Amino acid sequence: MTYKNTLAILNCSSDTETVIKFENFLKCDFVEQLINITASDLFDANNLSSSIENIESSYLLILLEDKKIDISLSSLNRFFQSATDTKAGIIYSDYYDVENKTLKPHPVIDYQLGSVRDNFDFGPVVLVDLKLLKEALNKSESYKYSAFYFSRLFISTKAEIIRLPEFLYSSEKTENRTTGEKQFDYVNPLNREVQIEYEKAFTKYLKLIDAYLKPEFQQVKNSEEKYEVTATVLIPVKNRVKTIKDAVKSVLSQKTNFSFNLIVVDNHSTDGTREAVEGFCELDHRVILAVPEKKNLNIGGCWNYGINHSSCGKYVIQLDSDDIYKNKNTIQKIVEKFEAENSAMVIGSYELTDFNLKELPPGLIDHKEWTPDNGRNNALRINGLGAPRAFRKSIVKNIGFPDVSYGEDYFIGLAISRKYIISRIYESLYICRRWEGNSDANLDIEKENKNNLYKDRIRTLEILSRINLNKNED
């Protein structure tokens, strides 16, 4: 097929005003045709292929969502000219949310190698190189849910994906849930079939770029280090006087057949948190209060401080300062898992509740998408690995946490999974309390973008490491 240097429009919006506006653009020299499809057709490989089969334009502007879109002819031309000038595979831009008739800026973030999560926010309008899209669909399988996801991953291997840092259109806002409510969509059991297919598509992509890791692991070597206790619970904390007592009591209630202690790394609290922990230290020798000299540490830095403490045990088990363990057997089950499977890290499952321990949807978060064969590959696609997280000290100490307060645990999990077995426990071990004091309960768009950009950077570095690892093994 010979492609014309023109633009076709694939419209998933059923809004009448949106359709009429794009029909008017057909009078322009560079706009060739308008094709209306449903939003679900965009994610079904067979339906998407048939929708674009006879299009002869070089580029396709896609309205990804069924919502009202308002874009000017000059903005449409900006998309088109940017694509023709750069030969990009995909072009997207910042935009405005329309909420109660008010325009609110909605900046998006730059695409990078690690922008592989399926919920990456392009905004509802993207421009795609049509030839590359067709090639991607020919390479894909008969995906019912992930046709566009695989296509944009495939296109990223052939051409640049470019963000225009300009607010080129507006879109009616229909998503009003907070970030804390949205972040668990991918582990909702109702989405299980969809997630399995996304994993399949993503694994195919990893093999294309030689970043896929076979289920072959290094053996964990026993450390010669002598430990005061078998296990240590580590709680980094700053200004959590409302919750720290519950967390400490949760640890001290644990029943084990081995010795354990609790190290609370207080990051210079000013609200009475330190005094509350000191009270426990006076009553129980297992509670250790550790205060770093530095006053500029983030959560990752506090973790490094804790795992390097002389009283830190062979296994280090996480507990956030506003959460509690599910029951008295949590630590016992985690250590038994370490020793049964000789793993470098153990991750459990948890339940979401409000501050008063009332269950919140989706309830149990068990991350069953993690399988022994493909868990460490699929981990690159999702934004978290589960809780509670526990580490073999000899390994996590050598890697070290990045000194940040978001994504530090995800970084460690990916780095460990590159070489070693991560064991999973799929029963509830942990209560994660959601309340207004949580760091990710309700983020504004700038903070959400900052977090997503950082986790994408973590994935970029990890993908590059895995590509390099595969090259060295060839």
Side-chain angles (χ1 to χ4, degrees), residues 67-216:
K67 56 174 60 175
K68 183 176 179 179
I69 304 293
D70 190 2
I71 188 170
S72 67
L73 181 58
S74 61
S75 291
L76 195 68
N77 186 58
R78 179 78 171 112
F79 272 103
F80 178 67
Q81 289 300 325
S82 296
T84 55
D85 290 345
T86 65
K87 305 302 178 186
I90 295 177
I91 298 280
Y92 64 107
S93 78
D94 298 342
Y95 62 102
Y96 292 103
D97 283 320
V98 181
E99 191 172 5
N100 297 324
K101 298 183 180 180
T102 302
L103 294 180
K104 295 186 176 181
H106 190 128
V108 290
I109 61 176
D110 290 332
Y111 197 92
Q112 55 183 300
L113 178 63
S115 301
V116 293
R117 53 197 162 84
D118 49 81
N119 65 345
F120 183 87
D121 183 16
F122 290 101
V125 176
V126 296
L127 184 145
V128 181
D129 182 301
L130 184 59
K131 186 177 180 180
L132 289 178
L133 178 59
K134 289 182 177 180
E135 185 180 349
L137 291 170
N138 287 334
K139 296 282 186 180
S140 71
E141 302 174 32
S142 297
Y143 298 131
K144 293 170 58 180
Y145 311 107
S146 55
F148 184 75
Y149 173 63
F150 175 77
S151 295
R152 60 102 160 168
L153 291 177
F154 177 84
I155 289 171
S156 73
T157 69
K158 301 290 185 177
E160 293 291 323
I161 295 181
I162 297 176
R163 165 186 165 239
L164 300 176
E166 306 160 23
F167 296 91
L168 292 181
Y169 61 95
S170 64
S171 168
E172 183 178 29
K173 185 175 182 180
T174 56
E175 175 63 270
N176 293 311
R177 294 180 301 159
T178 65
T179 53
E181 292 170 322
K182 291 185 290 183
Q183 73 182 108
F184 299 105
D185 285 351
Y186 69 98
V187 289
N188 190 320
L190 297 176
N191 297 329
R192 180 72 178 138
E193 184 180 357
V194 176
Q195 289 300 312
I196 289 174
E197 186 180 286
Y198 272 97
E199 177 181 359
K200 186 178 180 181
F202 179 61
T203 303
K204 187 181 182 75
Y205 163 74
L206 288 180
K207 291 179 178 179
L208 283 175
I209 64 172
D210 201 23
Y212 170 80
L213 296 182
K214 299 176 182 178
E216 300 169 354

Side-chain angles (χ1 to χ4, degrees), residues 9-14 34-43 47-48 50-52 62-63 66:
I9 300 170
L10 192 66
N11 174 39
C12 295
S13 173
S14 60
L34 171 67
I35 299 172
N36 296 309
I37 64 172
T38 64
S40 60
D41 287 335
L42 186 64
F43 307 107
N47 291 350
L48 181 56
S50 61
S51 297
I52 65 175
I62 306 178
L63 279 62
D66 187 4

Side-chain angles (χ1 to χ4, degrees), residues 276-290:
V277 176
E278 288 173 340
F280 285 104
C281 294
E282 295 173 0
L283 297 173
D284 196 316
H285 72 278
R286 295 175 297 174
V287 182
I288 300 167
L289 176 64

